C-alpha cells in the first residue's frame, strides 16, 4: 500500500485567504450603501470600474509573471483593493482616474513586489495618493450629499455620462453640485480665522460631523466591528488609531476649543473610521506583533491629526497609513513579544 | 585674486598639517577580515577556487582579487555568508570553478593499493593512513572529499563515494518542493 | 480546586477520541516475526548483543545502552534471531535502520523476572535497573527516563513532579485507556519516581475531556497525597513546558528544561513501565498503542514492540476504503509513514490511518498575508510568520534571532494559517540546516587544524632536510631545496589543475567505474556519527547536545 | 524657539533631505542593506553633518564673505568637510575604539555624501546664522538617519519578497524609495514659508 | 573577441557599469535634475566636462600624491574644476544655471566623479583616463537624459521644453508637444516619480541585458543539444 | 615625532601646492567671467521686467535705479524688497517690485508687479510659490492666463470693493477648485497698489533717495 507523504500537522482549520478577503467585502456593504444613498450612483459605478480594472490588471500581471491565475484571482485581494480605493474616490471621478489609481495600486504597489503578501505599502492607499498628488483638482471635487440644498439626484445615466465623458447634465452647473468636504471646509475656514463653532453652523455639518458623511461612517463602523468580531481584523489597530487620534485631538481641543475641532468630530470625520477598520488593518502592510499593532495604529491616528490640523491636505488617512507602512518593519523588529520562557524585562 | 589664493592655500596648508599628522599617528592595522572569510570557507582545501587552499582564497577575496563565488564546496550558503560578511549582493556560483556536488569521501581499493604513499603526500588534511609498501586507508571521518588524492594514485585505486544518507544524517527538505507535490 | 495558570495560545482542535476509547485495551496477537529496532530512543543507538542464529528469551536484553544517553532494547518474545540488519523503521525519512529480527517460537518463554524492592536500593542502582529495563519516555520523545530521574547537577531539590496524562492530540487515547484500566500500576510507578526525585508535590494533569481517567486516577491516588488536576482541553496542554506552566505557573527558560525551575514531568505510560520494571521485573517489551482512523474497528492494543503496523491494522479489521496516509502519532505532530511494514517502537503511541474525510483537504499554498493568526495560537509565544519568512529565505541567523529553537513544532500555527503554509516543515528544515551547518563548521575547523598541522609539519621537515643537507654537502644544498620546493609547487599546481572541472572525457571514464562505486557503498560502514535525533523531538535539543 | 523647532520639523520631515531634496542618495541606497549598518551610517553622518555645517558657516562668515570670495565657497567648504571627516575619524579612533568600530568604516564615505556639501551651501543660500546652521545640519542628518533606518528595515523584508526578476535589486529598492517619498509628501505644507 | 582597451572602457562606462543604472552613484543630481530632458542634458554636459578634466588632472598628478592626502587632493582638484565650470555656466548659460541651482556645485560630491578618480584615473595613463572620463560622463548623461525624457513625457507630455535654456533662442522651436490637451501626470515630475522612473529604467536595462545574454548563450546551447543527439 | 613633523610638512606642502595652482586657475576664470556674469544677470532681470513694461517705454538703466523698502504690512514680508524704477527722460514711467502674498495655500507666494506711474498695473507675474501643482499653480503665466487678467487694472478699475475673487463677490476669477491661492494673490496686488498710491513720492524719488 502506498501512502501519501505529507508533513504534519495533518489537519487544519477551514479558512482561506479568499474567505478572509470576502469578509472584508461584506463588511463594506453597509458603508457603501450609505455612501450611495448620499452621493448617488457614482459610487457604485466607480466600484464596478475599479473591480473590472483591478481584475484585469491582476490577470495581466499574473500572466506575465507566470503565476496560477485561478488561484490568485480567487483570493479576492485585488477586489478588496479595488473597493477600498473606489470608496475613497470622489463619486463622479472620471473613469480614467479610477483606472489609473487601480493600475498604480495593483501593478506598482502590489505586483512589483511579488503580489499578495509581499507588498510593503498599502496598495489602495498608494494608488490613492498617486492620484491625489497628480490630480488634486479631480480628487477634491466631491459632490454635495443629498438632502442638503440639492433635492435633485443625478440619475444613473447622468452619473455614467459624467464619469465616462466628463459631461455634466445641462441642468446643473459643476459648482452647484460640488463643494468642499467637511474637513476641507473646516481647514480652509479656520485658515480664514473663523472659529470652530461658526464653521460648524454651516449646513454641510450634521450631528457630529459632516452631513451625510457621518452616516457613512456609521455604516463602516458597523462593518468594521463585525470584522473585529470575526477576527478578520485585529482590534488593536482600529483601537490604536482611533485612540491616538482622539487623545491628541482632545489635548488640542482642551487647549483651544475655538481653534481646534473636538475629538468626536475628528474621529467621526473624513476617512477616520473607514481607515481605522478597513485600511489600517490591512494585515500585509501593518505591523504584525501585538504591541506593534497598537503602536502602528496610534501612529496613524496621530499623523492623521497632524496632517489634518497642520499640513497641506484636508484628510491624512492615506498618507498616514503609507508613512506607518514605512515604519512597520522597524516597529516589528522592536516589539517582538517575550518568548515563552525568556527572561522578563 | 591674491586674497583668494592666500586664503585657500592657508586652509589647504592647515588641512595638510592635520592630515599628515593623522597619517602617521593612525596607521591602518592588519586585516582581520581574512580570518572572518576563512572561517566561512569549508576548509576542504580542494583548490577548486583556483587558489592552493582556503586561506589563500580568503586572502585573495580580502584583497579584492577574487570574487566570492568561486568555492563550490561552500555552496550557495557559503556565497551568501560571504556576501553578508562583505556587504555585497549574493550571486550564483561561478560554474567555471565547478559545481556543487553531494558530499563525498575517498575510499582506497585495498586490493589494488601498492602502498606508494603518493596519496598521503597529496592529502591536505592527513586523512590517509599507511606506510610505504603497505596498504593505505582513508579515515572517513577526516576526509574532506577534496579529491586531491585521486590524481596522484598510479594505479587508480582511489574512488570518491557519496556519503550515504542514514537516519541520523537525514534532513528535512525545503518545503516548497513538498508543498508543490502536495498541491 | 487549585488554580491553573493558562499559557498563551493553543487551540481547540477536533477531538475524535470516542472512535477508539470505548473499548478496553486488547492484547495484540503474537506475530511470527518481530523486527526490533536498536534505536527506539533519543541518543546513541544500542549495541547489539546478539547475532543471527542466536536463541533469545522473552525479556532478554538484545541491545545494550551505549553511553549515558541511550537505552537498552529487549527481546519482546522468545525465538530465534533471524538477522541483525537494516530494516525499514517508522521514521519520517522512510530510511531503514539497524534492527534485530526475531522469529518467534510462540512459546513466550521469559527470562527470569527480577522484581526489586526500590526502597532498599541505592538510587543509582535503582536507576541502573531502570536503564537496563530500557525505560524511555513513552509520551513521544522516547528520552531515556533514567537520565531524567537523576537530579544531580541539574537542580537542588525538585518542587513538583508532574504526571502527564493530558493526551491533548486528537485521536490518541492510549493513555486515557491506560489510566482508566491500570491506574494503580501507574501510581505504583509514580511512587518509584517519587522515591528517586523526592518532589514536594506530585501533580497529575489530565485534560477534562477524560472524566473516567480522572476518576480512576483520583481513586488510585487516595492516600498518596498525589493530586489529580483536571486541565482544560486545549491543544497542546500536554506539551511539557506548557503543562508545567499550566499547573505550576512556572515558565521553563528558553534554553532550559523543566528541571531548571524545579519540575520534572513524565508520561503516564512511562510511569506504568517503571512499575512493571520494578515491581515485576519486566523490561519494556510492549506498549499500549492506539490504532484508529479509517480502520474497521479502532481500538487500543497492548502490542509487543517490533510488531508490524500492518499486523496491528489487520487486528482492527483492516483499512477501510480510501485511506490516503498512515500517520504515526497524532494528526498534529505525527509523521506520515512511507509503508505500514514497519515495527512498533517505544515512541509509537498511535497509528492513525487517515482518509480524506479525517483530514482537511490539501489546499494550495498561498503567500503569507501576515494576518497574525499564527501569532495568536503559538504556545511558545513566537512570531511564526517571521520565522517562516526567514526560514523560507534561508536566513537562518535571523530565524534564530526570532528564537527558532523555542518552537516546539506543535503545529498550531499551520493549523490556523489561512494561507495553508506548511510552516512547521519550514522550521524543521531550518533547524536541520542549522544543525548541519554547525556540524560542518566543526568539521571545517577540524580540517583547518589538520591542514595547518600538516603545513607546519611539512615546513619542519623541509627545514630539517635542509639542515641535514647543509651539513652534508653545503654546495648542493641550494639546488636541492630549490628542486624540492619546485616539486611541492608542482604538486600543488597539479592538484589545482586536477580540481578544475573534468573535461568531458574524464567524466565518461568515471562513469565506467560506476559499478565499483556502488560496490563500495555497500561495504563501507556508515560514517561515525554522534548520537542524537534530528528534528523529530524538538524538546530534546538540549538533552541532545 | 519656535523657529528652531520649525527648522527641525522642516528638515526632518517636510523637506527630508533624501526623499524630497535628493541629497545623500548614494549612501542611502548603498549602506541601507542592513539595519545595523544603516544605524552606524546615520550616527556618523549626524555627527559630521552638524559639525561641518558649523565649520562651513564659520569659514564663510569670517573668511570668505569679508574678503568677497564667495565664489570660492565650493572649494573651501569641501576642504573643510574633508578635514572634519578625517579629523573625526582621528579623534574617534583615539578616544573610543568601540565607537570607531561602529562609525569608523562609514566616515570616509561621508566626504562624498553630497548632503554634507549641500547643507553647507543651503545654509549660505538661506542666510542661516550660526545656531540655525548647526540645527539645519543636525535636522538634515536626523532626517537622513531616520529614513535610512526605516528604509533598511524595509529592505530586509523586500530582499526576500517574490519580486519579479527584472526588478530584483536596485530597481525595486528605488521603487520603494519612491513610494516612501510619496508618503512623505503628506508632510507637505506642515511648515509654511 | 578582443574587447580590451578603449572600446571596453567606453562600453563599460556607457552601459555595463553605467553610473546611474548599475553603480548607483551620482544619484542625487540624477534624480533631482531629471525632470526634463533639457535639465538632464545640461547637467549631464557639465558633469561630462568635469569628469573629463578631473580624470585627466588626477591622472597627471597621480605620481605626485601621497596616500594620506589623496582624497583631499582629489576633492580639491575636482572642486576647482567644478567651480570653473560653474562660473562658465553662470556666464554663458545663465538660465540653465538658475534652474540647476545647487546641483552644479554638488558635482564635486557626485560620487561618480571622485569614484572614477579613485578607481580609474589614479591607476591609468592620461589618454585612458580621458576616455574613461568621457565614457563615464556619457553614461551619466545617457541616464540623465533618458530619465529626463521619460519624466517629461509622462509628466507634462512634452519633450525639450525650455530648450532655449541650453540652446538659446534657437532652442525655442525645439519643444515638442506630444499630445494635445494631455493632462499631465504630475507624479512623474514630483520626487516620487524620479525614484520610480529610475527604478523602471533599471528594470528595463535588466530586461535588455538578459535578452542579450540569452541570445549569447542560446547559440552554444543548441550546439550542445546537437552534440548529444 | 620627527616622522610626524615630516609627514605633516609634506602633506601640507602638497595640499597647499594644489590649492595655489587650483585656486589660481579658478581666480583667473572668475576674473574672466565676472563681468559677463554681471551682464547676464542684468539682462535676465531686464528681460523679465520687459515682459511687463516694453523696453521702449523707458530709457534709464532700470536695474541700477533701485531702492529697498521694508514694509511688512504692505509688502507681505519682513525682508527688504527691492523696487526698480523706470524713467523716460528722467520722468517716472513705472516701477517694479517683488512683494509677497503671505497667505497662499501652502506658503508665501512671491510676485513680480509692475505699476505705471498713473497707478495702472503693467502686469503681475509669479516668481516663486509652493502652491499645489495642478491646482494652485494656475497662477503661473505658463500654466494658465489667469494672472494676465491684472494687466491694465488699477485701484479704481475695478473699484476697491471689487478687488476680490468672484466667489467672495469680487471681480476676479478664481481657479477651478482652488480659491485660496487667487484670493491671496488678489489681496497682495491690491495691497501693493495701495502702497504705491500712498508712497508715490518717495518711491519715485530720484536716485539720490537710494538707501
Ligand atoms: C466615510 C468617508 C468619509 C469621508 N469624509 C471626507 C471628508 O470629510 N473630507 C474629505 O476631504 N474627504 C473625505 N473622505 C474621503 C477620504 O477622506 C479620502 O478621500 C480617503 O479615504 C483617504 O485619503 P486622505 O486621508 O489622504 O484624504 C471620506 C471618505 C469616506 C469613505
Ligand atoms: C505539542 C506537544 C504535545 C505533547 N502532548 C503530550 C501529551 O499529550 N501527553 C504526553 O504524555 N506527552 C506529550 N508531549 C510530550 C511531553 O512534552 C513530554 O515529552 C513528556 O510528557 C515527557 O514525559 P516522558 O519522558 O515520560 O515521555 C507533548 C509534546 C509536545 C511538543
Ligand atoms: C491636496 C489639496 C491641495 C490643494 N491645494 C490648493 C491650492 O494650492 N490652492 C488653493 O487655492 N486651493 C487648494 N486646495 C483646495 C482648497 O482646500 C479648497 O478646497 C479650495 O480652495 C476651495 O475652493 P473652491 O471654493 O473653489 O472649491 C487644495 C485641496 C486639496 C485637497
Ligand atoms: C482586514 C483587511 C484589510 C485590508 N485592507 C486593505 C487596504 O487597505 N488596501 C488594500 O489594498 N488591500 C487591503 N486588504 C487586502 C489585501 O490585504 C491587500 O490587497 C494586500 O495588501 C495585497 O498584498 C485588506 C485585507 C484585509 C483582510
Ligand atoms: S574551493 Fe573552497 S574548499 Fe576548495 S580550496 Fe577553495 S576555498 Fe577551500
Ligand atoms: S583522502 Fe583524498 S579526498 Fe579525502 S581529504 Fe585526503 S586527499 Fe582529499
Ligand atoms: S497564519 Fe499564515 S498567513 Fe497568517 S501570518 Fe501566520 S503564516 Fe502568515
Ligand atoms: S509550531 Fe512552533 S511556531 Fe508554530 S505554533 Fe507551535 S511553537 Fe509556535
Ligand atoms: S550624488 Fe552621491 S550622495 Fe549625492
Amino acid at each position: 500500500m502506498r501512502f501519501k507523504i505529507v508533513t504534519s500537522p495533518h489537519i487544519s482549520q477551514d479558512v482561506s485567504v479568499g474567505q478572509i478577503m470576502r469578509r472584508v467585502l461584506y463588511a463594506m456593504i453597509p458603508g457603501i450603501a450609505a455612501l450611495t444613498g448620499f452621493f448617488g450612483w457614482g459610487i457604485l459605478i466607480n466600484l464596478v470600474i475599479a473591480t473590472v480594472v483591478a481584475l484585469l490588471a491582476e490577470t495581466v500581471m499574473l500572466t506575465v509573471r507566470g503565476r496560477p491565475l485561478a488561484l490568485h484571482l480567487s483570493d479576492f485581494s485585488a477586489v478588496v483593493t479595488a473597493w477600498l480605493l473606489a470608496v475613497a474616490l470622489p463619486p463622479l471621478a472620471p473613469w480614467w482616474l479610477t483606472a489609473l489609481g487601480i493600475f498604480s495600486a495593483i501593478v506598482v504597489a502590489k505586483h512589483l513586489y511579488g503580489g499578495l503578501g509581499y507588498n510593503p505599502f498599502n496598495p489602495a492607499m498608494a494608488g490613492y495618493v498617486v492620484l491625489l498628488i497628480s490630480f488634486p483638482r479631480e480628487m477634491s471635487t466631491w459632490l454635495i450629499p443629498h438632502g442638503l440644498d440639492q433635492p435633485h439626484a443625478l440619475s444613473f445615466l447622468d452619473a455614467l455620462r459624467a464619469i465616462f465623458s466628463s459631461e455634466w447634465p445641462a441642468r446643473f452647473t459643476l459648482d452647484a453640485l460640488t463643494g468642499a468636504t467637511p474637513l476641507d471646509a473646516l481647514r480652509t475656514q479656520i485658515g480664514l480665522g473663523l472659529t470652530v463653532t461658526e464653521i460648524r453652523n454651516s449646513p454641510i455639518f450634521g450631528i457630529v460631523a459632516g452631513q451625510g458623511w457621518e452616516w457613512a461612517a456609521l455604516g463602516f463602523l458597523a462593518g468594521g466591528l463585525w470584522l473585529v468580531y470575526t477576527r478578520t481584523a485585529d482590534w488593536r489597530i482600529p483601537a490604536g488609531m482611533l485612540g491616538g487620534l482622539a487623545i491628541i485631538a482632545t489635548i488640542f481641543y482642551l487647549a483651544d476649543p475655538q481653534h481646534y475641532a473636538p475629538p468626536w468630530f475628528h474621529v467621526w470625520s473624513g476617512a477616520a473610521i473607514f481607515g481605522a477598520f478597513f485600511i489600517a488593518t490591512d494585515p500585509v502592510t501593518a505591523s504584525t506583533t501585538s504591541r506593534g499593532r497598537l503602536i502602528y495604529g496610534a501612529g496613524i491616528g496621530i499623523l492623521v491629526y497632524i496632517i489634518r490640523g497642520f499640513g497641506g491636505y484636508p484628510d491624512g488617512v492615506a498618507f498616514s497609513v503609507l508613512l506607518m507602512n514605512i515604519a512597520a518593519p522597524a516597529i516589528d523588529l522592536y516589539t517582538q513579544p517575550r518568548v515563552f520562557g525568556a527572561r522578563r524585562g | 585674486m591674491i586674497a583668494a589664493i592666500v586664503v585657500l592655500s592657508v586652509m589647504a596648508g592647515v588641512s595638510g598639517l592635520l592630515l599628515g599628522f593623522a597619517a602617521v599617528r593612525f596607521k591602518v592595522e592588519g586585516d582581520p577580515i581574512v580570518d572572518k572569510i576563512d572561517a566561512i570557507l569549508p576548509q576542504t582545501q580542494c583548490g577548486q577556487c583556483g587558489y592552493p587552499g582556503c586561506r589563500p582564497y580568503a586572502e585573495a577575496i580580502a584583497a579584492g582579487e577574487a570574487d566570492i563565488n568561486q568555492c563550490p564546496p561552500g555552496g550557495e550558503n557559503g556565497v551568501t555568508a560571504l556576501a553578508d560578511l562583505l556587504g555585497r549582493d549574493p550571486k550564483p556560483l561561478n560554474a567555471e570553478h565547478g559545481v556543487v556536488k553531494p558530499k563525498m569521501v575517498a575510499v582506497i581499493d585495498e586490493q589494488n593499493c601498492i602502498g606508494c604513499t603518493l596519496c598521503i603526500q597529496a592529502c591536505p588534511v592527513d586523512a590517509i593512513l599507511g606506510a610505504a609498501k603497505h596498504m593505505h586507508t582513508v579515515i572517513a571521518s577526516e576526509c574532506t572529499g577534496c579529491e586531491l588524492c585521486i590524481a596522484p594514485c598510479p594505479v587508480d585505486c582511489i574512488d570518491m563515494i557519496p556519503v550515504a544518507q542514514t537516519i541520523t544524517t537525514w534532513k528535512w527538505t525545503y518545503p516548497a518542493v513538498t508543498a508543490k507535490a502536495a498541491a | 480546586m487549585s488554580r491553573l495558570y493558562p499559557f498563551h495560545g493553543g487551540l481547540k482542535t477536533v477531538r475524535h477520541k470516542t472512535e477508539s476509547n470505548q473499548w478496553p485495551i486488547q492484547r495484540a496477537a503474537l506475530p511470527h516475526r518481530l523486527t526490533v529496532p536498536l534505536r527506539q530512543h533519543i541518543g546513541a543507538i544500542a549495541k547489539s548483543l546478539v547475532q543471527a542464529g542466536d536463541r533469545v528469551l522473552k525479556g532478554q536484553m538484545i541491545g545494550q545502552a551505549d553511553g549515558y544517553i541511550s537505552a537498552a532494547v529487549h527481546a519482546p518474545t522468545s525465538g530465534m534471531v533471524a538477522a541483525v540488519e537494516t530494516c525499514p523503521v517508522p521514521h519520517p525519512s522512510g530510511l531503514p535502520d539497524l534492527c534485530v529480527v526475531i522469529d518467534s517460537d510462540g512459546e513466550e518463554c521469559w527470562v527470569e523476572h527480577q522484581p526489586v524492592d526500590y526502597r532498599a536500593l541505592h538510587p543509582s542502582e535503582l536507576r541502573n535497573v531502570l536503564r537496563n529495563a530500557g525505560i524511555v519516555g513513552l509520551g513521544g520523545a522516547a528520552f531515556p527516563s533514567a537520565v531524567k530521574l537523576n537530579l544531580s547537577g541539574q537542580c537542588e531539590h525538585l518542587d513538583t513532579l508532574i504526571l502527564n496524562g493530558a493526551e491533548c492530540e486528537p485521536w490518541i487515547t492510549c493513555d486515557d485507556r491506560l489510566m482508566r484500566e491500570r491506574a494503580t500500576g501507574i501510581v505504583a510507578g509514580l511512587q518509584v519516581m517519587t522515591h528517586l526525585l523526592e518532589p514536594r508535590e506530585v501533580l497529575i494533569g489530565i485534560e477534562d475531556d477524560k472524566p473516567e481517567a480522572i476518576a480512576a486516577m483520583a481513586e488510585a491516588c487516595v492516600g498518596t497525597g498525589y493530586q489529580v488536576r483536571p486541565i482544560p482541553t486545549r491543544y497542546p496542554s500536554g506539551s511539557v513546558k506548557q503543562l508545567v506552566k499550566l499547573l505550576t505557573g512556572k515558565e521553563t527558560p528558553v534554553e532550559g528544561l523543566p528541571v531548571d525551575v524545579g519540575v520534572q514531568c513524565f508520561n503516564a505510560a512511562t510511569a506504568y513501565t517503571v512499575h512493571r520494571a520494578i515491581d515485576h521485573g519486566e523490561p519494556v517489551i510492549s506498549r499500549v498503542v492506539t490504532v484508529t482512523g479509517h480502520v474497521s474497528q479502532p481500538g487500543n492494543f497492548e502490542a509487543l514492540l517490533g510488531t508490524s503496523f500492518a499486523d496491528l491494522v489487520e487486528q482492527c479489521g483492516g483499512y477501510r476504503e480510501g485511506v490516503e496516509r498512515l500517520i504515526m502519532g497524532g494528526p498534529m505532530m505525527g509523521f506520515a509513514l512511507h509503508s505500514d511494514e514497519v515495527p512498533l517502537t517505544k515512541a509509537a503511541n498511535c497509528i492513525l490511518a487517515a482518509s480524506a474525510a479525517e483530514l482537511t483537504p490539501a489546499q494550495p499554498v498561498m503567500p503569507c498575508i501576515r494576518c497574525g493568526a499564527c501569532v495568536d495560537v503559538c504556545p511558545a509565544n513566537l512570531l511564526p510568520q517571521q520565522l517562516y519568512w526567514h526560514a523560507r529565505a534561508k536566513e537562518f541567523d535571523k530565524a534564530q534571532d526570532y528564537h527558532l529553537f523555542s518552537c516546539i513544532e506543535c503545529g498550531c500555527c499551520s493549523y490556523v494559517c489561512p494561507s495553508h503554509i506548511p510552516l512547521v516543515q519550514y522550521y524543521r528544515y531550518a533547524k536541520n540546516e542549522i544543525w548541519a551547518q554547525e556540524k560542518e563548521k566543526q568539521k571545517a575547523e577540524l580540517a583547518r587544524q589538520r591542514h595547518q598541522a600538516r603545513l607546519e609539519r611539512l615546513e619542519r621537515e623541509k627545514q630539517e632536510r635542509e639542515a641535514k643537507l647543509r651539513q652534508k654537502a653545503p654546495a648542493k644544498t641550494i639546488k636541492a631545496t630549490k628542486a624540492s620546493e619546485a616539486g611541492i609547487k608542482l604538486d600543488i599546481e597539479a592538484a589545482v589543475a586536477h580540481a578544475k572541472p573534468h573535461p568531458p572525457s574524464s567524466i565518461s571514464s568515471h562513469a565506467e567505474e560506476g559499478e565499483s562505486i556502488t560496490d563500495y557503498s555497500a561495504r563501507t560502514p556508515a560514517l561515525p556519527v554522534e548520537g542524537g535525533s534530528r528534528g523529530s523531538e524538538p524538546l530534546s535539543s538540549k538533552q541532545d547536545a | 524657539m519656535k523657529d528652531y523647532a520649525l527648522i527641525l520639523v522642516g528638515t526632518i520631515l517636510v523637506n527630508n533631505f533624501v526623499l524630497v531634496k535628493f541629497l545623500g542618495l548614494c549612501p542611502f541606497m548603498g549602506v541601507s542593506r542592513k539595519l545595523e549598518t544603516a544605524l552606524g551610517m546615520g550616527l556618523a553622518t549626524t555627527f559630521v553633518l552638524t559639525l561641518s555645517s558649523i565649520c562651513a558657516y564659520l569659514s564663510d562668515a569670517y573668511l570668505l564673505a569679508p574678503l568677497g570670495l564667495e565664489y570660492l565657497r565650493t572649494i573651501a567648504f569641501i576642504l573643510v568637510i574633508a578635514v572634519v571627516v578625517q579629523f573625526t575619524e582621528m579623534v574617534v579612533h583615539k578616544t573610543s575604539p568601540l565607537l570607531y568600530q561602529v562609525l569608523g568604516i562609514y566616515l570616509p564615505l561621508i566626504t562624498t555624501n553630497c548632503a554634507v556639501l549641500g547643507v553647507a551651501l543651503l545654509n549660505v543660500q538661506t542666510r542661516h546664522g550660526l545656531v540655525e546652521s548647526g540645527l539645519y545640519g543636525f535636522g538634515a542628518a536626523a532626517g537622513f538617519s531616520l529614513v535610512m533606518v526605516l528604509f533598511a528595515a524595509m529592505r530586509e523584508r523586500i530582499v526576500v519578497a517574490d519580486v519579479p526578476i527584472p526588478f530584483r535589486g536596485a530597481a525595486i529598492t528605488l521603487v520603494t524609495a519612491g513610494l516612501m517619498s510619496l508618503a512623505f509628501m503628506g508632510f507637505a505644507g506642515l511648515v509654511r514659508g | 573577441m578582443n574587447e580590451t582597451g578603449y572600446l571596453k572602457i567606453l562600453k563599460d562606462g556607457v552601459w555595463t557599469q553605467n553610473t546611474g543604472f548599475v553603480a548607483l552613484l551620482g544619484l542625487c543630481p540624477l534624480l533631482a535634475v531629471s525632470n526634463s530632458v533639457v535639465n538632464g542634458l545640461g547637467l549631464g554636459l557639465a558633469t561630462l566636462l568635469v569628469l573629463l578634466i578631473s580624470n585627466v588632472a588626477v591622472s597627471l598628478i597621480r605620481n605626485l600624491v601621497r596616500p594620506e592626502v589623496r582624497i583631499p587632493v582629489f576633492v580639491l582638484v575636482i572642486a576647482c574644476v567644478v567651480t570653473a565650470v560653474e562660473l562658465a555656466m553662470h556666464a554663458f548659460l545663465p538660465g540653465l544655471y538658475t534652474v540647476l541651482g545647487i546641483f552644479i556645485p554638488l558635482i564635486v560630491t557626485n560620487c561618480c566623479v571622485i569614484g572614477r578618480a579613485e578607481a580609474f584615473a589614479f591607476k591609468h595613463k592620461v589618454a585612458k583616463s580621458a576616455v574613461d572620463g568621457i565614457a563615464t560622463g556619457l553614461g551619466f548623461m545617457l541616464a540623465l537624459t533618458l530619465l529626463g525624457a521619460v519624466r517629461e513625457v509622462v509628466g507634462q507630455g512634452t519633450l525639450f521644453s525650455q530648450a532655449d535654456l541650453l540652446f538659446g533662442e534657437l532652442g525655442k522651436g525645439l519643444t515638442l508637444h506630444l499630445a494635445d490637451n494631455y493632462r499631465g501626470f504630475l507624479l512623474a515630475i514630483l520626487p516620487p516619480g524620479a525614484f520610480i522612473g529610475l527604478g523602471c529604467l533599471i528594470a528595463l536595462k535588466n530586461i535588455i541585458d538578459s535578452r542579450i545574454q540569452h541570445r549569447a548563450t542560446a547559440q552554444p546551447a543548441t550546439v550542445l543539444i546537437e552534440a548529444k543527439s | 615625532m620627527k616622522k610626524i613633523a615630516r609627514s605633516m610638512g609634506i602633506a601640507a606642502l602638497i595640499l597647499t601646492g594644489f590649492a595655489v595652482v587650483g585656486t589660481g586657475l579658478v581666480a583667473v576664470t572668475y576674473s574672466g567671467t565676472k563681468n559677463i556674469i554681471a551682464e547676464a544677470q542684468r539682462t535676465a532681470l531686464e528681460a523679465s521686467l520687459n515682459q511687463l513694461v516694453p523696453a521702449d517705454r523707458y530709457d534709464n538703466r532700470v536695474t541700477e535705479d533701485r531702492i529697498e523698502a521694508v514694509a511688512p504690512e504692505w509688502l507681505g514680508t519682513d525682508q527688504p524688497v527691492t523696487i526698480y524704477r523706470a524713467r523716460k527722460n528722467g520722468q517716472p514711467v513705472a516701477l517694479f517690485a517683488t512683494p509677497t502674498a503671505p497667505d497662499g495655500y501652502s506658503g508665501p507666494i512671491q510676485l513680480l508687479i509692475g505699476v505705471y506711474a498713473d497707478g495702472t498695473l503693467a502686469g503681475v507675474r509669479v516668481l516663486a510659490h509652493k502652491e499645489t501643482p495642478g491646482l494652485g499653480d494656475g497662477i503661473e503665466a505658463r500654466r494658465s492666463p489667469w494672472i494676465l487678467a491684472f494687466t491694465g487694472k488699477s485701484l479704481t478699475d475695478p473699484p476697491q470693493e471689487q478687488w476680490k475673487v468672484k466667489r467672495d463677490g469680487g471681480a476676479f476669477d478664481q481657479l477651478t477648485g482652488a480659491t485660496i491661492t487667487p484670493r491671496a494673490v488678489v489681496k497682495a496686488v491690491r495691497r501693493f497698489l495701495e502702497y504705491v498710491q500712498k508712497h508715490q513720492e518717495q518711491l519715485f524719488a530720484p536716485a539720490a533717495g537710494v538707501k
Side-chain angles (χ1 to χ4, degrees), chain A residues 132-133 136-137 139-140 175 178-181 184-185 187-188 312-315 319, chain F residues 104-106 130-133 135-137 167 174-183:
Chain A
L132 183 63
I133 64 168
R137 174 137 46 89
M139 290 298 284
S140 50
D175 273 0
T178 61
T181 61
D184 201 5
R187 204 190 111 75
T188 47
Y313 294 91
D315 200 357
F319 283 112
Chain F
Y105 185 81
S106 17
K130 290 188 181 148
E131 300 310 276
T132 316
L135 211 51
D137 68 351
R167 173 159 295 198
Q174 59 259 346
L175 295 161
T176 328
T179 315
I180 295 165
T181 314
R183 203 181 264 150

Side-chain angles (χ1 to χ4, degrees), chain E residues 33-54:
Chain E
V33 176
S34 59
N35 43 12
S36 76
V37 187
V38 172
N39 287 356
L41 211 56
L43 193 76
L45 280 173
T47 312
L48 173 67
L49 205 61
V50 171
L51 259 166
L52 176 60
I53 304 177
S54 74

Side-chain angles (χ1 to χ4, degrees), chain B residues 79-147:
Chain B
V79 181
T80 319
L82 286 175
D84 216 34
L85 175 72
L86 301 171
R88 299 194 203 157
D89 276 327
K91 46 173 93 170
L93 270 176
N94 186 344
E96 269 172 38
H97 295 272
V99 288
V100 182
K101 284 188 244 172
K103 279 260 168 290
M104 308 270 243
V105 286
V107 178
I108 295 177
D109 179 351
E110 296 170 357
Q111 254 97 59
N112 291 335
C113 174
I114 53 171
C116 67
T117 75
L118 288 176
C119 56
I120 296 189
Q121 287 165 35
C123 180
V125 291
D126 283 343
I128 304 179
L129 280 182
K133 308 250 167 63
H134 286 76
M135 183 190 73
H136 293 0
T137 336
V138 175
I139 316 169
S141 61
E142 314 271 303
C143 171
T144 63
C146 69
E147 304 190 6

